[in-house]
Amino acid sequence: DGGITQSPKYLFRKEGQNVTLSCEQNLNHDAMYWYRQDPGQGLRLIYYSQIVNDFQKGDIAEGYSVSREKKESFPLTVTSAQKNPTAFYLCASSIVGRSNYGYTFGSGTRLTVV
Amino acid sequence: QQQVKQSPQSLIVQKGGISIINCAYENTAFDYFPWYQQFPGKGPALLIAIRPDVSEKKEGRFTISFNKSAKQFSLHIMDSQPGDSATYFCAANFGNEKLTFGTGTRLTIIP
């Protein structure tokens, strides 16, 4: 089945640590996105990429970094510079060049600072 | 303007009733308006979508109503069921632009 796989489902980070969240898709989608969701809140865009080896900052990119070395993969690193990283992180993908197609989301990674 | 304003923030509806969630947009270039449904601990899933060349789209108990002149669109859930309890997001975009999401509505269906 085609879809987006996010791992791990739960992640615990110590103060000062960098952690990397995995996002893999087998939908052959060009674009991939990372969103942050806080309890009872909406979706805030962190980074997005429409093509391999290229990505753009979203609304809340500070303290995060990404890479897009392969079409299928778009890992997100939460760095120690992100002071309040506890949140639910969602990865999504979509087709580029075919408008009005919508996004497919993964099941999310819940990150907690301990 | 890229904003999509969604209301209400939360909604409680009795089982069997009609749930109505509203969204308003400003960018007249938007030409795709999807709704997403999100259950706790899960990612959002596409529920239903509409383009501005039609005023209404129905899929089962879910209907999108679209008012182009007012720049508003709404989701109606008929015969609401406890299993419909979730957070709903409206969104909009055009061309290759990324989706702009509303802030979400937490819907609770009570017996």
Short mmCIF file of all heavy atoms in Angstrom, two decimals, chain A residues 9 33 35 37 40-43 45 48 50 88 90 96-108 110, chain B residues 9 31-32 34 36 38 41-46 51 87 89 93-99 101-104 106:
data_model
loop_
_atom_site.label_atom_id
_atom_site.label_comp_id
_atom_site.label_asym_id
_atom_site.label_seq_id
_atom_site.Cartn_x
_atom_site.Cartn_y
_atom_site.Cartn_z
N LYS A 9 7.05 6.66 16.45
CA LYS A 9 5.74 7.20 16.82
C LYS A 9 5.85 8.11 18.04
O LYS A 9 5.18 9.12 18.16
CB LYS A 9 4.77 6.05 17.10
CG LYS A 9 3.33 6.49 17.28
CD LYS A 9 2.42 5.27 17.35
CE LYS A 9 0.96 5.70 17.56
NZ LYS A 9 0.47 6.49 16.42
N TYR A 33 6.31 17.97 3.21
CA TYR A 33 6.10 19.06 4.17
C TYR A 33 6.24 18.53 5.59
O TYR A 33 5.93 17.39 5.88
CB TYR A 33 4.67 19.62 4.02
CG TYR A 33 4.24 19.91 2.62
CD1 TYR A 33 3.75 18.90 1.80
CD2 TYR A 33 4.31 21.20 2.10
CE1 TYR A 33 3.35 19.16 0.50
CE2 TYR A 33 3.90 21.47 0.81
CZ TYR A 33 3.42 20.44 0.00
OH TYR A 33 3.02 20.71 -1.27
N TYR A 35 4.90 19.69 9.46
CA TYR A 35 4.04 20.56 10.27
C TYR A 35 4.24 20.23 11.74
O TYR A 35 4.52 19.10 12.12
CB TYR A 35 2.57 20.34 9.93
CG TYR A 35 2.16 20.90 8.60
CD1 TYR A 35 2.25 20.15 7.44
CD2 TYR A 35 1.66 22.20 8.50
CE1 TYR A 35 1.88 20.68 6.22
CE2 TYR A 35 1.28 22.74 7.28
CZ TYR A 35 1.39 21.96 6.15
OH TYR A 35 1.01 22.49 4.94
N GLN A 37 2.12 20.51 15.40
CA GLN A 37 0.79 20.70 15.98
C GLN A 37 0.90 20.64 17.49
O GLN A 37 1.32 19.64 18.06
CB GLN A 37 -0.18 19.62 15.47
CG GLN A 37 -1.62 19.86 15.90
CD GLN A 37 -2.57 18.88 15.25
OE1 GLN A 37 -2.22 17.73 15.00
NE2 GLN A 37 -3.78 19.32 14.97
N GLY A 40 -4.55 21.11 20.89
CA GLY A 40 -5.68 21.98 20.63
C GLY A 40 -5.40 23.08 19.62
O GLY A 40 -6.22 23.98 19.45
N GLN A 41 -4.28 22.96 18.94
CA GLN A 41 -3.90 24.01 17.99
C GLN A 41 -3.96 23.50 16.55
O GLN A 41 -4.14 22.32 16.29
CB GLN A 41 -2.47 24.48 18.29
CG GLN A 41 -2.29 25.04 19.68
CD GLN A 41 -3.14 26.28 19.92
OE1 GLN A 41 -3.13 27.21 19.10
NE2 GLN A 41 -3.88 26.30 21.01
N GLY A 42 -3.79 24.43 15.63
CA GLY A 42 -3.80 24.08 14.22
C GLY A 42 -2.46 23.58 13.74
O GLY A 42 -1.59 23.19 14.54
N LEU A 43 -2.27 23.58 12.44
CA LEU A 43 -1.06 23.07 11.80
C LEU A 43 -0.15 24.24 11.43
O LEU A 43 -0.57 25.14 10.72
CB LEU A 43 -1.43 22.28 10.55
CG LEU A 43 -2.43 21.14 10.76
CD1 LEU A 43 -2.91 20.62 9.42
CD2 LEU A 43 -1.78 20.03 11.57
N LEU A 45 3.43 25.27 9.59
CA LEU A 45 4.39 24.75 8.62
C LEU A 45 5.81 25.05 9.06
O LEU A 45 6.16 26.20 9.32
CB LEU A 45 4.11 25.34 7.24
CG LEU A 45 5.00 24.87 6.10
CD1 LEU A 45 4.78 23.38 5.85
CD2 LEU A 45 4.69 25.67 4.84
N TYR A 48 9.24 22.91 3.85
CA TYR A 48 8.69 22.14 2.77
C TYR A 48 9.69 22.05 1.62
O TYR A 48 10.60 22.87 1.51
CB TYR A 48 7.34 22.69 2.29
CG TYR A 48 7.39 24.05 1.65
CD1 TYR A 48 7.30 24.20 0.27
CD2 TYR A 48 7.45 25.20 2.43
CE1 TYR A 48 7.32 25.45 -0.32
CE2 TYR A 48 7.48 26.45 1.86
CZ TYR A 48 7.39 26.58 0.48
OH TYR A 48 7.41 27.82 -0.09
N GLN A 50 9.81 20.96 -2.65
CA GLN A 50 9.08 20.58 -3.86
C GLN A 50 9.93 19.77 -4.84
O GLN A 50 9.40 19.26 -5.83
CB GLN A 50 8.53 21.82 -4.55
CG GLN A 50 7.45 22.54 -3.73
CD GLN A 50 6.73 23.60 -4.52
OE1 GLN A 50 7.34 24.30 -5.32
NE2 GLN A 50 5.43 23.74 -4.30
N PHE A 88 3.41 17.52 18.51
CA PHE A 88 3.07 16.44 17.58
C PHE A 88 3.53 16.89 16.20
O PHE A 88 3.14 17.97 15.73
CB PHE A 88 1.57 16.20 17.63
CG PHE A 88 1.08 14.99 16.90
CD1 PHE A 88 1.68 13.76 17.08
CD2 PHE A 88 0.00 15.07 16.04
CE1 PHE A 88 1.22 12.62 16.43
CE2 PHE A 88 -0.48 13.94 15.39
CZ PHE A 88 0.14 12.72 15.58
N LEU A 90 3.92 16.31 12.12
CA LEU A 90 3.26 15.64 11.01
C LEU A 90 4.02 15.90 9.72
O LEU A 90 4.39 17.03 9.42
CB LEU A 90 1.83 16.16 10.86
CG LEU A 90 0.86 15.69 11.94
CD1 LEU A 90 -0.35 16.62 12.01
CD2 LEU A 90 0.42 14.27 11.69
N VAL A 96 3.30 17.80 -7.30
CA VAL A 96 3.57 19.14 -7.83
C VAL A 96 3.31 19.11 -9.32
O VAL A 96 3.61 18.13 -9.99
CB VAL A 96 5.02 19.56 -7.55
CG1 VAL A 96 5.35 20.88 -8.23
CG2 VAL A 96 5.25 19.69 -6.05
N GLY A 97 2.76 20.20 -9.82
CA GLY A 97 2.49 20.26 -11.24
C GLY A 97 1.12 19.72 -11.58
O GLY A 97 0.71 19.68 -12.73
N ARG A 98 0.42 19.29 -10.55
CA ARG A 98 -0.96 18.84 -10.73
C ARG A 98 -1.75 19.46 -9.59
O ARG A 98 -1.81 18.92 -8.50
CB ARG A 98 -1.05 17.32 -10.70
CG ARG A 98 -2.44 16.80 -11.00
CD ARG A 98 -2.48 15.29 -11.02
NE ARG A 98 -3.84 14.80 -11.06
CZ ARG A 98 -4.15 13.52 -11.06
NH1 ARG A 98 -3.19 12.61 -11.01
NH2 ARG A 98 -5.40 13.13 -11.10
N SER A 99 -2.26 20.62 -9.85
CA SER A 99 -2.85 21.40 -8.77
C SER A 99 -4.11 20.74 -8.25
O SER A 99 -4.68 19.86 -8.86
CB SER A 99 -3.18 22.80 -9.29
OG SER A 99 -4.13 22.73 -10.33
N ASN A 100 -4.49 21.19 -7.10
CA ASN A 100 -5.76 20.78 -6.52
C ASN A 100 -5.82 19.29 -6.24
O ASN A 100 -6.82 18.64 -6.50
CB ASN A 100 -6.92 21.17 -7.42
CG ASN A 100 -6.84 22.63 -7.82
OD1 ASN A 100 -6.24 23.44 -7.13
ND2 ASN A 100 -7.41 22.94 -8.95
N TYR A 101 -4.74 18.75 -5.72
CA TYR A 101 -4.72 17.31 -5.47
C TYR A 101 -4.72 16.99 -3.99
O TYR A 101 -4.97 15.87 -3.60
CB TYR A 101 -3.49 16.69 -6.15
CG TYR A 101 -3.64 15.22 -6.39
CD1 TYR A 101 -4.40 14.73 -7.45
CD2 TYR A 101 -3.02 14.30 -5.55
CE1 TYR A 101 -4.53 13.37 -7.66
CE2 TYR A 101 -3.15 12.94 -5.76
CZ TYR A 101 -3.90 12.49 -6.82
OH TYR A 101 -4.02 11.15 -7.03
N GLY A 102 -4.42 17.96 -3.13
CA GLY A 102 -4.46 17.71 -1.70
C GLY A 102 -3.19 17.05 -1.18
O GLY A 102 -2.31 16.67 -1.94
N TYR A 103 -3.13 16.94 0.13
CA TYR A 103 -1.99 16.35 0.80
C TYR A 103 -2.34 14.98 1.37
O TYR A 103 -3.48 14.73 1.77
CB TYR A 103 -1.54 17.22 1.98
CG TYR A 103 -0.94 18.56 1.63
CD1 TYR A 103 -0.79 18.99 0.33
CD2 TYR A 103 -0.52 19.41 2.64
CE1 TYR A 103 -0.25 20.23 0.04
CE2 TYR A 103 0.03 20.64 2.37
CZ TYR A 103 0.16 21.05 1.06
OH TYR A 103 0.71 22.28 0.79
N THR A 104 -1.31 14.12 1.47
CA THR A 104 -1.41 12.88 2.22
C THR A 104 -0.52 13.03 3.44
O THR A 104 0.65 13.40 3.31
CB THR A 104 -0.94 11.68 1.38
OG1 THR A 104 -1.75 11.58 0.21
CG2 THR A 104 -1.05 10.40 2.18
N PHE A 105 -1.09 12.78 4.61
CA PHE A 105 -0.35 12.94 5.86
C PHE A 105 0.09 11.59 6.41
O PHE A 105 -0.58 10.57 6.21
CB PHE A 105 -1.21 13.61 6.92
CG PHE A 105 -1.35 15.10 6.75
CD1 PHE A 105 -2.33 15.64 5.94
CD2 PHE A 105 -0.49 15.97 7.41
CE1 PHE A 105 -2.46 17.00 5.78
CE2 PHE A 105 -0.61 17.34 7.26
CZ PHE A 105 -1.60 17.86 6.43
N GLY A 106 1.21 11.60 7.14
CA GLY A 106 1.61 10.46 7.93
C GLY A 106 0.86 10.43 9.25
O GLY A 106 0.01 11.29 9.51
N SER A 107 1.20 9.45 10.09
CA SER A 107 0.50 9.27 11.37
C SER A 107 1.11 10.08 12.51
O SER A 107 0.60 10.05 13.61
CB SER A 107 0.48 7.79 11.74
OG SER A 107 -0.27 7.06 10.81
N GLY A 108 2.22 10.74 12.23
CA GLY A 108 2.77 11.66 13.21
C GLY A 108 3.80 11.06 14.15
O GLY A 108 3.85 9.85 14.35
N ARG A 110 5.15 11.97 18.09
CA ARG A 110 4.96 12.81 19.28
C ARG A 110 6.30 12.94 19.99
O ARG A 110 6.86 11.95 20.46
CB ARG A 110 3.92 12.21 20.21
CG ARG A 110 3.55 13.15 21.36
CD ARG A 110 2.30 12.68 22.09
NE ARG A 110 1.14 12.62 21.23
CZ ARG A 110 0.38 13.66 20.88
NH1 ARG A 110 0.71 14.87 21.30
NH2 ARG A 110 -0.67 13.48 20.12
N GLN B 9 -14.27 27.36 16.94
CA GLN B 9 -13.09 26.66 17.40
C GLN B 9 -13.47 25.28 17.94
O GLN B 9 -12.73 24.32 17.80
CB GLN B 9 -12.38 27.48 18.48
CG GLN B 9 -11.03 26.93 18.90
CD GLN B 9 -10.31 27.88 19.84
OE1 GLN B 9 -10.89 28.84 20.35
NE2 GLN B 9 -9.05 27.61 20.07
N ASP B 31 -8.42 28.08 -5.73
CA ASP B 31 -9.34 27.33 -6.57
C ASP B 31 -9.48 25.87 -6.14
O ASP B 31 -9.94 25.03 -6.92
CB ASP B 31 -8.92 27.42 -8.04
CG ASP B 31 -7.55 26.82 -8.30
OD1 ASP B 31 -6.91 26.33 -7.35
OD2 ASP B 31 -7.13 26.83 -9.47
N TYR B 32 -9.08 25.59 -4.94
CA TYR B 32 -9.22 24.23 -4.42
C TYR B 32 -9.44 24.33 -2.93
O TYR B 32 -8.66 24.99 -2.22
CB TYR B 32 -7.97 23.41 -4.74
CG TYR B 32 -7.95 22.01 -4.17
CD1 TYR B 32 -8.87 21.05 -4.60
CD2 TYR B 32 -7.02 21.64 -3.21
CE1 TYR B 32 -8.85 19.76 -4.09
CE2 TYR B 32 -6.99 20.35 -2.69
CZ TYR B 32 -7.91 19.42 -3.14
OH TYR B 32 -7.89 18.15 -2.63
N PRO B 34 -10.20 21.88 0.19
CA PRO B 34 -10.41 20.58 0.83
C PRO B 34 -10.75 20.71 2.31
O PRO B 34 -10.44 21.72 2.95
CB PRO B 34 -9.06 19.91 0.66
CG PRO B 34 -8.07 21.04 0.72
CD PRO B 34 -8.79 22.25 0.12
N TYR B 36 -10.19 18.39 5.88
CA TYR B 36 -9.48 17.27 6.47
C TYR B 36 -10.10 16.92 7.82
O TYR B 36 -10.55 17.79 8.55
CB TYR B 36 -7.99 17.61 6.66
CG TYR B 36 -7.22 17.63 5.36
CD1 TYR B 36 -7.23 18.76 4.55
CD2 TYR B 36 -6.50 16.52 4.94
CE1 TYR B 36 -6.54 18.77 3.35
CE2 TYR B 36 -5.81 16.53 3.75
CZ TYR B 36 -5.83 17.66 2.96
OH TYR B 36 -5.15 17.66 1.77
N GLN B 38 -9.26 14.85 11.41
CA GLN B 38 -8.16 14.32 12.20
C GLN B 38 -8.68 13.74 13.52
O GLN B 38 -9.29 14.44 14.30
CB GLN B 38 -7.13 15.41 12.49
CG GLN B 38 -5.91 14.88 13.26
CD GLN B 38 -4.92 15.98 13.62
OE1 GLN B 38 -5.30 17.13 13.80
NE2 GLN B 38 -3.65 15.61 13.73
N GLY B 41 -4.25 11.69 17.92
CA GLY B 41 -3.06 10.87 17.74
C GLY B 41 -2.82 10.40 16.33
O GLY B 41 -1.90 9.60 16.09
N LYS B 42 -3.61 10.88 15.39
CA LYS B 42 -3.47 10.48 13.99
C LYS B 42 -3.20 11.70 13.12
O LYS B 42 -3.41 12.83 13.53
CB LYS B 42 -4.74 9.79 13.50
CG LYS B 42 -5.13 8.56 14.32
CD LYS B 42 -4.13 7.45 14.18
CE LYS B 42 -4.59 6.20 14.91
NZ LYS B 42 -3.56 5.12 14.83
N GLY B 43 -2.74 11.45 11.89
CA GLY B 43 -2.58 12.53 10.95
C GLY B 43 -3.92 12.88 10.29
O GLY B 43 -4.81 12.05 10.22
N PRO B 44 -4.06 14.10 9.82
CA PRO B 44 -5.30 14.47 9.11
C PRO B 44 -5.47 13.64 7.84
O PRO B 44 -4.49 13.27 7.19
CB PRO B 44 -5.07 15.95 8.76
CG PRO B 44 -4.01 16.42 9.69
CD PRO B 44 -3.14 15.23 9.93
N ALA B 45 -6.71 13.39 7.48
CA ALA B 45 -7.03 12.65 6.26
C ALA B 45 -8.02 13.46 5.45
O ALA B 45 -8.94 14.06 6.00
CB ALA B 45 -7.60 11.28 6.60
N LEU B 46 -7.81 13.47 4.15
CA LEU B 46 -8.71 14.21 3.26
C LEU B 46 -10.11 13.62 3.35
O LEU B 46 -10.32 12.43 3.19
CB LEU B 46 -8.19 14.12 1.82
CG LEU B 46 -9.02 14.85 0.77
CD1 LEU B 46 -9.02 16.35 1.03
CD2 LEU B 46 -8.48 14.57 -0.62
N ARG B 51 -14.19 22.53 -5.86
CA ARG B 51 -13.62 23.61 -6.67
C ARG B 51 -14.68 24.69 -6.81
O ARG B 51 -15.87 24.42 -6.71
CB ARG B 51 -13.21 23.08 -8.04
CG ARG B 51 -12.13 22.03 -7.96
CD ARG B 51 -11.59 21.71 -9.33
NE ARG B 51 -10.64 20.62 -9.29
CZ ARG B 51 -9.76 20.37 -10.24
NH1 ARG B 51 -9.71 21.14 -11.30
NH2 ARG B 51 -8.93 19.36 -10.14
N THR B 87 -11.24 16.48 14.95
CA THR B 87 -10.92 17.86 14.60
C THR B 87 -10.96 18.00 13.09
O THR B 87 -10.43 17.14 12.37
CB THR B 87 -9.52 18.25 15.13
OG1 THR B 87 -9.52 18.16 16.56
CG2 THR B 87 -9.18 19.69 14.73
N PHE B 89 -10.29 20.44 9.69
CA PHE B 89 -9.54 21.57 9.14
C PHE B 89 -10.03 21.88 7.74
O PHE B 89 -10.13 20.97 6.90
CB PHE B 89 -8.05 21.25 9.05
CG PHE B 89 -7.36 21.10 10.38
CD1 PHE B 89 -7.17 19.84 10.94
CD2 PHE B 89 -6.88 22.20 11.06
CE1 PHE B 89 -6.53 19.69 12.15
CE2 PHE B 89 -6.24 22.06 12.28
CZ PHE B 89 -6.07 20.81 12.83
N ASN B 93 -5.95 26.45 -1.66
CA ASN B 93 -4.72 26.80 -2.39
C ASN B 93 -5.07 27.02 -3.85
O ASN B 93 -6.23 26.93 -4.27
CB ASN B 93 -3.62 25.74 -2.21
CG ASN B 93 -3.80 24.51 -3.07
OD1 ASN B 93 -4.90 24.21 -3.51
ND2 ASN B 93 -2.72 23.79 -3.29
N PHE B 94 -4.05 27.33 -4.64
CA PHE B 94 -4.19 27.42 -6.09
C PHE B 94 -2.88 27.02 -6.73
O PHE B 94 -1.81 27.18 -6.13
CB PHE B 94 -4.58 28.85 -6.51
CG PHE B 94 -3.52 29.88 -6.23
CD1 PHE B 94 -2.61 30.25 -7.22
CD2 PHE B 94 -3.42 30.47 -4.98
CE1 PHE B 94 -1.63 31.20 -6.95
CE2 PHE B 94 -2.45 31.41 -4.71
CZ PHE B 94 -1.55 31.79 -5.70
N GLY B 95 -2.96 26.47 -7.91
CA GLY B 95 -1.76 26.08 -8.64
C GLY B 95 -0.86 25.18 -7.82
O GLY B 95 -1.30 24.23 -7.20
N ASN B 96 0.43 25.49 -7.82
CA ASN B 96 1.40 24.70 -7.06
C ASN B 96 1.66 25.26 -5.67
O ASN B 96 2.55 24.78 -4.97
CB ASN B 96 2.73 24.65 -7.81
CG ASN B 96 2.62 23.82 -9.07
OD1 ASN B 96 1.81 22.91 -9.14
ND2 ASN B 96 3.42 24.15 -10.05
N GLU B 97 0.88 26.27 -5.28
CA GLU B 97 1.07 26.85 -3.96
C GLU B 97 0.72 25.84 -2.87
O GLU B 97 -0.17 25.01 -3.04
CB GLU B 97 0.20 28.09 -3.79
CG GLU B 97 0.63 29.27 -4.65
CD GLU B 97 2.00 29.79 -4.23
OE1 GLU B 97 2.20 30.02 -3.02
OE2 GLU B 97 2.85 29.95 -5.10
N LYS B 98 1.42 25.93 -1.74
CA LYS B 98 1.11 25.04 -0.63
C LYS B 98 -0.24 25.41 -0.04
O LYS B 98 -0.72 26.52 -0.16
CB LYS B 98 2.21 25.12 0.42
CG LYS B 98 2.46 26.50 0.98
CD LYS B 98 3.70 26.48 1.86
CE LYS B 98 3.93 27.84 2.52
NZ LYS B 98 4.18 28.90 1.55
N LEU B 99 -0.87 24.40 0.58
CA LEU B 99 -2.17 24.61 1.19
C LEU B 99 -2.09 25.59 2.36
O LEU B 99 -1.14 25.54 3.14
CB LEU B 99 -2.73 23.29 1.70
CG LEU B 99 -3.41 22.37 0.68
CD1 LEU B 99 -3.70 21.02 1.31
CD2 LEU B 99 -4.69 23.00 0.17
N PHE B 101 -4.08 26.33 5.71
CA PHE B 101 -5.04 25.65 6.57
C PHE B 101 -5.76 26.61 7.49
O PHE B 101 -5.16 27.61 7.95
CB PHE B 101 -4.35 24.59 7.43
CG PHE B 101 -3.95 23.35 6.69
CD1 PHE B 101 -2.69 23.25 6.10
CD2 PHE B 101 -4.83 22.29 6.55
CE1 PHE B 101 -2.31 22.11 5.41
CE2 PHE B 101 -4.46 21.15 5.86
CZ PHE B 101 -3.21 21.06 5.28
N GLY B 102 -7.02 26.31 7.80
CA GLY B 102 -7.71 26.98 8.89
C GLY B 102 -7.18 26.48 10.22
O GLY B 102 -6.37 25.56 10.27
N THR B 103 -7.65 27.09 11.29
CA THR B 103 -7.12 26.78 12.62
C THR B 103 -7.74 25.54 13.26
O THR B 103 -7.30 25.12 14.32
CB THR B 103 -7.32 27.97 13.55
OG1 THR B 103 -8.68 28.39 13.48
CG2 THR B 103 -6.41 29.14 13.17
N GLY B 104 -8.75 24.97 12.62
CA GLY B 104 -9.33 23.73 13.12
C GLY B 104 -10.56 23.93 13.98
O GLY B 104 -10.70 24.94 14.67
N ARG B 106 -12.80 21.57 16.75
CA ARG B 106 -12.92 20.32 17.49
C ARG B 106 -14.40 19.99 17.66
O ARG B 106 -15.12 20.70 18.35
CB ARG B 106 -12.23 20.44 18.85
CG ARG B 106 -12.18 19.14 19.62
CD ARG B 106 -11.30 19.27 20.84
NE ARG B 106 -11.15 18.01 21.56
CZ ARG B 106 -10.33 17.85 22.58
NH1 ARG B 106 -9.58 18.85 23.01
NH2 ARG B 106 -10.26 16.68 23.19
#
